Amino acid sequence: MTSQPSEGRIANLALERALALPAEHGLIVVTGPPASGKTEALVRRFGALLAVDASLAEGTIVTAARADGAQALGARIAATSGIAVEAATLDVLALRLLRAHPLETGLALDLELIGPLEATEIFERAAAPLFSAAWSDWLGTEIDPEIAGLRTPDRFADAALRLIRKLRDAGVDPDAFMTTAQRGATTFYAKPPNLASPALVAATKDEYRAALAVDANELDRQRKRELDLAKILARLYRAYVDELVRHGCLTPADALVEATRLLEHRPAIVRALRRRLRVALVDDAHDLGAAALRFLATLFGDGLEGVTAAGDPDAATQTFAGARPERIFGRAATAVVLGPGSLPAQIAAVARAVIDADPARPIPPGEAVRVLRAADRRGEANAVAAQVAALVAGGTPPGRIAVLHRTLRTLAPYEDALLVHDLPLALAGDPALFERPDVLDALALLWTAVDPFHHVWVLRALQTPMLRLSDASIAVLCGEPASPQPLLFALPEADETGDRRWDRRRDLRLGTNLIGGERDADLSPLARARLDGFRARRTRWSEWLRELGVATAARAIVADGGLLLPRAGEPPARGRLRATLLARLLDLIAEYTARRPSADPADALLYCARLAAEADGPELLDERPDAVVVGAVDRVLARRFDHVVVVDARAGAFPPYYVPDAFLFSPTYGMIPKESAGDAPAARTAKFTWYEHHAKPRAAYVREQRRLFAAALGRADRTVTISAFGRPTRGVAAPELAAEIEALLATKG
């Protein structure tokens, strides 16, 4: 009697055959759930190729959808083969390619890779005429200024830039965008759908049903407004790209777009690259952006010959940003599906149930998954911290524990609770750097050294640990001296019709007293001594700013200002975290001055102020292995932990509520404005109201957030804890995942 081979043995046999295929074979795709060995398959593929042809060590692209994933893959290849390979995202290769062929690109000779802030500033310059008196000169008189979203210019500009970035990433140029918008308008308005459909009316909230009660004249008016909006966006798109080219600045997506254009128009460059770069190993292919995939296809052909990709379509978390997993997995010449790996069965079942929104999925017994619920946020944070502290006390290394949420910005209460237990922390994600008190203290000292009359910062500097002046002492410094020196020249009287808030003497008073010491006699001896010490330091700081580079002087000022010194009663872990945050601030200043050698200290501080105003701030990735990881899920997807705690799994927190932009774009229906501009009978357009029911973008958004949540669960090798606070809810628009998992565990076998 012969036994049938198990599914695992069949998958292993298929993998072995795939790994042995020649380098020139078509696309090989390896898929599987978390911890199934997908990345290990790429490492083994590299070893198998080198065993046949050692020269492939120099001819292999090692990459991933994210930088940390690429670095992790490169590190595993180096550890296994002993060969150090360069591992980076594809935009790094694209930028290098553009710099190597400056004359063929038509771009600036000194291309610079820029971040989101610089790209936003370039877009603001391109869009400036739209929000100025130059409207008619810029767009022409035929476009109606009553456009959806323009009542709130900042939100309009943000939504426009997001759309332009998606269009550019998708390879849709301004002309193609305008053509698609016109065709989409014709598709919808030439034969409108049944806006009185019972299913549509029932699915629409009461306050938006008026948008469906429109006649032919109103639909025609909305069509004209929609096309005007498309013309504005197309003009903004062209202006933005022109500004990028003029300044020689490219975002990572722009680098991929321009490199793809170069390869499409210069086949000789493609042939030369293919002789040198014969193989590509791509990890986390499910989150590969459209621009990256087009660049890869231009380099390796539509069949992606020589490419081996690993990923999991059910783990895609960037589809709203433009990733389309089916476009790469659907090209596979050879596909291998790996079975369950080392992930505990209970965690795997719960993760699958979250992805599928399946409340009836059977959950195996065990204690690998638990739900923690507290009365309020403080109680939740304290309970999470106590659990983590108990794990560390029980022998788990801190670096094998992660406290995760969809964004690091929400994790400050949990950080504080962990620091009470003196647990070292390693942050990963956007830490809301410019909302941190220690960072604000550092900026206050730097601003005071640059401009003692910048009183908002001076007031904060007077309360830093070095000075710690009382409110009474600060009030004295803000007042006039008892016997003020008479003015040599009389100041003009305040204009009764103008701004009466401004007073030259008052606005200079604090800085004058701080530097000149005119109120010192009215201060206590202790306050005078502290001010004398501060003045001596500030004199030294001014000399450093003149004699040293901006970055070097900034580091010296922060250290001399005492911000890195231990504080009474403070746990060492908190001091370590403060040092990490201050180091990130100083690195930002150093990076800025390296890009702008002529920048002075004030320029660097104004740059920080612009960063602080952005919705998404600079990220921090602390990879020290001896600290509890506190971070955003998408910044730890290349890592594994023994224990994972996913916090604040409430409705509206994780996943967050879906808030659509001022306008959407569909390849089939063109522009879809949300607001009905002008003299309209309803606040929303009929097209947007119909499209929400037809395409269900809210449901797609929630599905993606579910996959992100499941990815967090899949980082754990031993246990997962999901925490929340308050009463559980059962929402539809934003489900409460903690309540769902609680119900799943209540029915486990």
Side-chain angles (χ1 to χ4, degrees), residues 254-272:
D254 292 321
L256 288 165
V257 170
E258 294 298 334
T260 301
R261 184 175 62 84
L262 172 66
L263 295 177
E264 289 173 344
H265 291 84
R266 295 290 189 273
I269 297 177
V270 177
R271 290 192 293 270

Side-chain angles (χ1 to χ4, degrees), residues 270-316:
V270 177
R271 290 192 293 270
L273 284 172
R274 285 292 286 128
R275 285 193 294 269
R276 182 168 62 86
L277 301 173
R278 298 166 54 194
V279 173
L281 304 176
V282 184
D283 206 359
D284 296 327
H286 48 264
D287 278 337
L288 206 63
L293 180 56
R294 283 201 317 278
F295 175 70
L296 204 62
T298 307
L299 189 55
F300 288 92
D302 287 339
L304 297 177
E305 292 84 3
V307 177
T308 303
D312 178 8
D314 289 329

